[in-house]
């Protein structure tokens, strides 16, 4: 199949391209490299060094013996999106190219607006260009399990049967997102569902759980590594926990730590996206997949990370800073996930096994982690309307080591040096 991956330079777009190429699919990609820029904006970088794009393309040629077509550009420019779809006329489009960080969207009004404007614009541009140039193509759109929030009932896959005042219907399950980013995904879902209805497009809306891991079987060389973010804005809780353990810092689940979420290993996420591509819906069908394997609380993630860290001779403690987010710290969580299993999906990776792999991989990049240890501390507060000042201060890096100060002649309660926050 001919597959177009938007966001091909990203954490999941890159391994997806490798996975599809290795299985004989023809792959082209789009990216604007905005994630690289925005991770720098908060003073961080990927733990794994990511080569410039031409080197990535060259590595694919050398190590996989395949060509990867690439279009550099922003989905915010409709002329660009049209040109790519007119040229490629793909069978499937996997749409990953969105601003994907909840904390980034909560920094201030400008980051909130950029997140929603970009995400909705990119999706609408793709939908219109598909209608015009490849109406038979299948859109695999990346949503998130976070669209549903944490209702006190089981979470179905997109739709549920409801009886109300004596009448019944099959309706979209209510969404209760927890950040401006998550709301952008909710609005996207509505747009994709509507476009399928009015134009007969085929679409799979993937409510993706949190992905973990940094390896897939196709990543056989460091030149093929995917990015791994670990700062408080771009890194997931599990990513931060592993890096904290490696750096000898306490592991820090926010708040009481009973927040539960769905998780899936990177390799299994690739498997499920490929299955979605290879089994397209009918024309006009909009279907929803809840894509995760197991749900864990943040405390469970912290404990599992600590247990694996011990195997590596590390002895991290676990501490609970106040939760910077506004979220239920203890709640019911029971999402259903049957649709992918019906297509033949089977989980192949287990959390502790992937954690071991992460420790092995990331310890090799310890110096890169060490240089950015200050970006792990939570700064972005959901209740604040403007998190820029503390972020800007942190992006400058830790305060320089103070010059040695001679001991004062008398004991005094006067600070003689500035300590890094
Ligand atoms: N990684 C996860 O755990 C996770 C979980 C749930 C949902 N998702 C969703 O999956 C998708 C991919 O996530 P990821 O972790 O690979 O993110 P990522 O930021 O690493 O990758 C996204 C890529 O898209 C590019 N991009 C973003 N906006 C663009 C635009 N307007 N035009 C062109 N390129 C653009 C970025 O430069 C980046 O390379 C996102 O939509 C995200 O919301 C991810």
């Amino acid at each position: 199949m001919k597959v177009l991956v938007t966001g091909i330079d990203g954490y999941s777009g890159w391994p997806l391209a490798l996975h599809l190429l290795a299985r004989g699919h023809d792959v082209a990609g789009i990216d604007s490299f905005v994630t690289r820029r925005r991770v720098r904006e908060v003073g961080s970088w990927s733990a794994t060094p990511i080569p410039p794009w031409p080197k990535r393309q060259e590595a694919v040629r050398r190590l996989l013996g395949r060509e990867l077509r690439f279009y550099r550009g922003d989905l915010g420019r409709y002329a660009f999106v049209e040109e790519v779809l007119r040229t490629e006329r793909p069978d499937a489009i996997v749409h990953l190219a969105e601003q994907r960080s909840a904390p980034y969207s909560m920094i201030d009004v400008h980051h909130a607006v950029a997140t929603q404007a970009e995400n909705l614009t990119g999706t609408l541009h793709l939908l219109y260009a598909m209608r015009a140039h490849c109406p038979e193509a299948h859109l695999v759109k990346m949503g998130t399990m976070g669209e549903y929030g944490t209702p006190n009932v089981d979470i179905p896959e997109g739709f549920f049967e409801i009886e109300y005042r004596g009448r019944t219907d099959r309706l979209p399950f209510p969404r209760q997102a927890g950040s401006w980013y998550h709301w952008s995904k909710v609005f996207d879902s509505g747009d994709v569902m509507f476009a399928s209805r009015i134009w007969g497009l085929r679409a799979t809306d993937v409510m993706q759980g949190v992905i973990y891991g940094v390896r897939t079987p196709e990543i056989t060389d460091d030149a093929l590594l995917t990015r791994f973010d670990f700062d408080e804005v771009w890194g997931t809780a599990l990513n931060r926990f592993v890096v904290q353990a490696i750096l000898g810092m306490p592991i820090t689940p926010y708040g009481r730590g009973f927040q539960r979420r769905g998780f899936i290993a990177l390799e299994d996420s690739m498997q499920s996206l490929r299955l979605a591509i290879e089994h397209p819906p009918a024309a006009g069908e909009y279907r929803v997949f809840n894509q995760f394997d197991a749900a864990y609380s943040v405390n469970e993630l912290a404990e599992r990370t600590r247990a694996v860290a011990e195997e590596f001779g590390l002895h991290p403690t676990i501490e609970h800073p106040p939760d910077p987010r506004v979220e239920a710290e203890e709640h019911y969580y029971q999402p259903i996930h049957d649709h992918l299993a019906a297509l033949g999906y089977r989980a192949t990776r287990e959390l502790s096994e992937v954690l071991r792999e992460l420790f092995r991989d990331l310890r090799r990049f310890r110096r890169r982690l060490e240089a950015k240890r200050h970006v792990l501390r939570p700064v972005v507060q959901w209740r604040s309307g403007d998190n820029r000042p503390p972020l800007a201060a942190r992006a400058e890096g830790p305060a320089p080591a103070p010059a040695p100060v001679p001991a004062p002649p008398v004991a005094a309660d006067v600070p003689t040096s500035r300590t890094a926050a």
Side-chain angles (χ1 to χ4, degrees):
M1 270 190 186
K2 201 169 179 187
V3 185
L4 176 70
V5 178
T6 76
I8 198 164
D9 188 53
Y11 167 64
S12 48
W14 177 250
L16 178 64
L18 302 181
H19 180 76
L20 294 174
L21 284 171
R23 276 155 190 79
H25 293 292
D26 178 61
V27 182
I30 288 179
D31 212 292
S32 64
F33 305 124
V34 64
T35 293
R36 293 187 188 225
R37 287 198 296 280
R38 284 178 168 163
V39 173
R40 280 199 298 274
E41 177 192 332
V42 301
S44 192
W45 59 18
S46 164
T48 44
I50 301 303
W53 180 261
K55 287 222 160 66
R56 290 190 121 178
Q57 238 171 339
E58 196 276 318
V60 167
R61 210 170 288 132
R62 181 165 49 88
L63 296 159
L64 271 72
R66 297 293 307 275
E67 278 303 317
L68 188 51
R69 290 185 304 288
F70 179 67
Y71 301 85
R72 179 177 183 165
D74 196 314
L75 294 184
R77 273 204 319 117
Y78 186 58
F80 166 71
V81 178
E82 267 210 300
E83 189 192 320
V84 177
L85 266 60
R86 197 187 302 119
T87 310
E88 287 291 327
R89 294 193 195 281
D91 301 307
I93 300 173
V94 186
H95 178 28
L96 303 157
E98 294 203 332
Q99 194 299 91
R100 55 101 165 154
S101 158
Y104 189 86
S105 76
M106 301 302 293
I107 291 175
D108 69 352
V109 60
H110 306 292
H111 292 77
V113 170
T115 300
Q116 295 209 347
E118 285 173 23
N119 290 0
L120 269 75
T121 305
T123 298
L124 277 171
H125 282 173
L126 276 173
L127 291 168
Y128 267 85
M130 281 177 71
R131 180 196 166 279
H133 302 290
C134 47
E136 288 301 319
H138 168 204
L139 177 68
V140 180
K141 163 73 178 54
M142 228 42 57
T144 154
M145 284 299 294
E147 291 186 33
Y148 298 118
T150 53
N152 201 28
V153 294
D154 292 4
I155 299 174
E157 298 197 71
F159 293 85
F160 72 145
E161 302 286 336
I162 179 159
E163 187 186 324
Y164 180 62
R165 295 191 168 200
R167 300 184 65 81
T168 56
D169 204 349
R170 180 176 178 267
L171 293 176
F173 188 74
R175 306 302 209 258
Q176 305 184 83
S179 74
W180 301 124
Y181 153 73
H182 289 99
W183 278 110
S184 79
K185 296 287 192 184
V186 175
F187 304 144
D188 268 346
S189 286
D191 289 348
V192 174
M193 180 170 60
F194 182 62
S196 304
R197 175 142 56 89
I198 57 171
W199 295 331
L201 301 181
R202 310 161 198 273
T204 305
D205 205 353
V206 181
M207 300 299 117
Q208 191 165 58
V210 184
I211 307 181
Y212 60 88
V214 76
R215 254 182 204 278
T216 60
E218 294 79 26
I219 299 178
T220 51
D221 187 288
D222 275 2
L224 295 176
L225 280 172
T226 192
R227 62 177 308 112
F228 183 92
D229 295 299
F230 58 96
D231 62 273
E232 64 124 353
V233 172
W234 294 95
T236 63
L238 190 73
N239 290 11
R240 283 185 285 109
F241 295 169
V242 174
V243 171
Q244 285 170 328
I246 291 175
L247 292 180
M249 300 165 78
I251 292 173
T252 54
Y254 295 157
R256 297 171 59 219
F258 296 107
Q259 306 90 321
R260 287 184 86 73
R261 301 290 182 267
F263 289 81
I264 186 165
L266 183 62
E267 183 178 336
D268 287 331
S269 167
M270 302 301 106
Q271 179 204 161
S272 65
L273 293 180
R274 176 175 53 78
L275 283 170
I277 293 166
E278 291 174 351
H279 299 84
E285 186 184 349
Y286 166 82
R287 64 183 183 184
V288 179
F289 289 174
N290 290 350
Q291 189 214 56
F292 72 98
D293 275 330
Y296 300 100
S297 73
V298 206
N299 284 339
E300 285 165 346
L301 294 181
E303 285 299 344
R304 295 284 283 264
T305 307
R306 175 160 63 181
V308 173
E310 296 278 344
E311 295 174 20
F312 285 81
L314 302 162
H315 309 290
T317 55
I318 296 178
E319 289 177 6
H320 290 263
D323 192 343
R325 306 180 175 212
V326 177
E327 62 187 353
E329 291 180 21
E330 190 161 6
H331 55 86
Y332 181 78
Y333 197 63
Q334 200 63 51
I336 294 160
H337 51 136
D338 294 338
H339 289 174
L340 277 162
L343 296 185
Y345 170 80
R346 296 290 175 270
T348 62
R349 303 303 308 274
E350 190 275 325
L351 178 60
S352 294
E353 182 197 341
V354 176
L355 275 168
R356 282 182 201 105
E357 201 170 76
L358 274 174
F359 273 90
R360 277 194 294 273
D361 268 325
L362 295 181
R363 284 194 324 166
R364 294 194 292 130
F365 302 114
R366 195 192 156 99
R367 286 172 68 177
R368 290 178 67 81
L369 304 178
E370 200 64 71
K372 300 288 179 187
R373 59 160 57 221
H374 58 287
V375 297
L376 286 149
R377 188 173 55 88
V379 165
V380 179
Q381 302 283 330
W382 261 227
R383 286 192 171 79
S384 164
D386 186 1
N387 287 289
R388 267 177 312 166
L391 260 184
R394 192 184 61 185
E396 288 165 13
V405 178
V410 287
D413 200 13
V414 179
T416 53
S417 67
R418 192 157 61 94
T419 42

